[in-house]
Amino acid sequence: MKIFSLLLLAGSLFMVCSANAQTKTVTVDANDVLNNNTKIVAQTSSGQVFFTGHQIGTGYYYPAGIFRAITDNNNNAANYYFDGITNGTTNFSVRADGQGYFAGNLGIGNSNPDAKLTVYSPIPLGGVAKNAVLVSSIGGTSGTNYFKNNLWLVRNSAGSDWVTARLHDGISIDVSFLNPQTNTRTWWERDPNQDVQSWGTSANTYMTIVQGNVGIGITNPANKLDVNGTIHSKSVLIDLNGWADYVFKPTYQLRPLTEVKTFIDQHKHLPEIPSEQEIVKDGLNLGEMNKLLMKKIEELTLYLIEKDKVEKEQKKINQNYATQIETLTQHLELLTNQLNAFKSQTSNK
């Protein structure tokens, strides 16, 4: 059973006549074939038109579907509304008090929306750096100020396609802070071509992620984390490949101290430790430097153990020498006493 397309007003138009409301019904059969030149017009007694409708073609695509236009309710609700119903289900409604409902996808600037809300700006983005197009704005009042969260398409550098364009999400207040990459507040910007995300405020960039590398205070990080500033932390955990305990293995060849001294005299730094010039140029690898420092500490420990061993041996030798000297001293005293006694006896004769 074909039903006529616009079947106007769910088949009903409501009009107010004198004290008692009356319903005027207009029925149109599909065979009547309304066309573009034949319209149904609803108007007030003063001639004010509030609804017009006609069918395009002879068929009706949506079964059991109707449009309704209601301008008065007797249930003390706000005057409304225009809606569309299919098989008893409301697909959309627009009310005179500003409220609306859409069961499907809603397009703003887009006639074929592919999401619940699709917003598209037909204004082309210019080719000059920092040129911007405002795509959407959500806001509210805060005291006497209008607080807005805006989304812009902005040209990061001169160009004519998406490669040099970025999406810039920033906050503006009233008519201030409306220039992306210049003065918008607490913004977030994304570059899909170079895989870059940035956060900052006004012209200051606080943090940047470039292809997985994070930069804080730096916009072109080359490592997983680059920080231009001081890091304050209670603890830092570094994963290392190996440690310096091999120094304590019996097969380890400890460099003689004379060789170490020769190296220091020539290069002015410890063997295996980077020079001042290298540290200034390349920076300090904290993990590798800790391994080297631990190696030097363990080598120093071995040197001290060897020195302690030598000192103990020398102490034994010195003790032996002392014992021998004491024995010789005693013998010398004995001989001296005997000699003195002999001299005394000889002088008395």
Side-chain angles (χ1 to χ4, degrees):
M1 172 180 177
K2 286 188 176 180
I3 306 176
F4 199 104
S5 163
L6 254 180
L7 198 66
L8 262 318
L9 311 317
S12 41
L13 293 170
F14 295 86
M15 301 180 65
V16 179
C17 297
S18 65
N20 298 319
Q22 297 181 4
T23 300
K24 305 279 187 175
T25 301
V26 177
T27 303
V28 181
D29 193 285
N31 294 326
D32 291 340
V33 189
L34 281 172
N35 54 48
N36 291 339
N37 296 319
T38 306
K39 298 181 180 180
I40 295 176
V41 177
Q43 64 184 35
T44 64
S45 59
S46 63
Q48 182 181 13
V49 176
F50 61 87
F51 183 86
T52 65
H54 62 85
Q55 176 177 320
I56 300 176
T58 61
Y60 192 23
Y61 186 77
Y62 290 105
I66 59 174
F67 291 100
R68 301 186 305 174
I70 302 175
T71 59
D72 195 15
N73 261 343
N74 58 3
N75 58 0
N76 296 322
N79 287 343
Y80 16 129
Y81 53 76
F82 184 75
D83 66 4
I85 299 176
T86 301
N87 291 325
T89 301
T90 300
N91 296 317
F92 76 91
S93 65
V94 179
R95 294 175 25 162
D97 60 1
Q99 297 190 43
Y101 165 76
F102 291 85
N105 296 338
L106 174 63
I108 300 177
N110 187 311
S111 61
N112 187 27
D114 55 2
K116 286 298 181 183
L117 176 61
T118 301
V119 180
Y120 173 77
S121 173
I123 302 174
L125 180 63
V128 180
K130 293 191 177 183
N131 182 263
V133 173
L134 183 62
V135 177
S136 67
S137 181
I138 301 174
T141 58
S142 176
T144 58
N145 301 111
Y146 189 29
F147 193 102
K148 294 182 290 184
N149 182 191
N150 300 320
L151 187 64
W152 287 273
L153 195 61
V154 62
R155 185 70 67 189
N156 187 56
S157 58
S160 59
D161 55 17
W162 73 277
V163 173
T164 56
R166 292 185 173 188
L167 205 60
H168 185 101
D169 186 318
I171 292 176
S172 65
I173 307 297
D174 299 327
V175 293
S176 301
F177 319 130
L178 291 170
N179 300 302
Q181 297 187 342
T182 299
N183 62 9
T184 57
R185 298 303 173 94
T186 57
W187 50 260
W188 169 33
E189 190 170 278
R190 288 171 286 169
D191 184 336
N193 178 53
Q194 300 184 48
D195 189 13
V196 175
Q197 296 187 68
S198 299
W199 291 262
T201 195
S202 297
N204 302 314
T205 300
Y206 296 148
M207 185 172 74
T208 301
I209 300 178
V210 179
Q211 299 175 3
N213 294 335
V214 179
I216 300 177
I218 184 171
T219 58
N220 55 342
N223 303 285
K224 287 302 178 184
L225 178 61
D226 285 349
V227 179
N228 181 17
T230 301
I231 299 176
H232 184 166
S233 173
K234 289 184 177 180
S235 177
V236 177
L237 179 64
I238 300 176
D239 294 331
L240 295 175
N241 184 17
W243 196 236
D245 289 347
Y246 59 85
V247 170
F248 292 139
K249 292 183 177 180
T251 56
Y252 182 73
Q253 297 295 318
L254 187 63
R255 192 189 302 257
L257 281 174
T258 54
E259 186 177 327
V260 174
K261 182 180 184 305
T262 300
F263 185 93
I264 292 174
D265 291 341
Q266 181 178 355
H267 299 284
K268 308 306 180 193
H269 63 86
L270 286 172
E272 302 176 279
I273 300 296
S275 66
E276 178 183 359
Q277 292 81 5
E278 292 173 314
I279 293 294
V280 171
K281 178 183 176 182
D282 302 325
L284 176 66
N285 186 321
L286 189 58
E288 290 301 316
M289 181 56 71
N290 272 285
K291 286 170 63 176
L292 287 174
L293 291 177
M294 181 54 66
K295 180 179 180 180
K296 295 307 170 185
I297 290 173
E298 293 183 354
E299 286 181 342
L300 179 59
T301 301
L302 291 179
Y303 286 129
L304 290 173
I305 290 173
E306 182 64 24
K307 182 180 179 181
D308 182 65
K309 179 181 177 182
V310 171
E311 287 180 348
K312 285 180 178 179
E313 291 178 353
Q314 186 63 48
K315 185 177 181 180
K316 286 183 179 180
I317 294 173
N318 291 341
Q319 287 177 344
N320 289 334
Y321 285 156
T323 301
Q324 292 176 11
I325 291 172
E326 184 178 357
T327 301
L328 290 174
T329 300
Q330 291 175 354
H331 287 167
L332 181 59
E333 288 179 354
L334 179 61
L335 289 174
T336 300
N337 292 335
Q338 290 176 349
L339 180 59
N340 290 334
F342 177 75
K343 287 180 178 180
S344 177
Q345 291 176 0
T346 303
S347 61
N348 292 332
K349 287 183 179 180

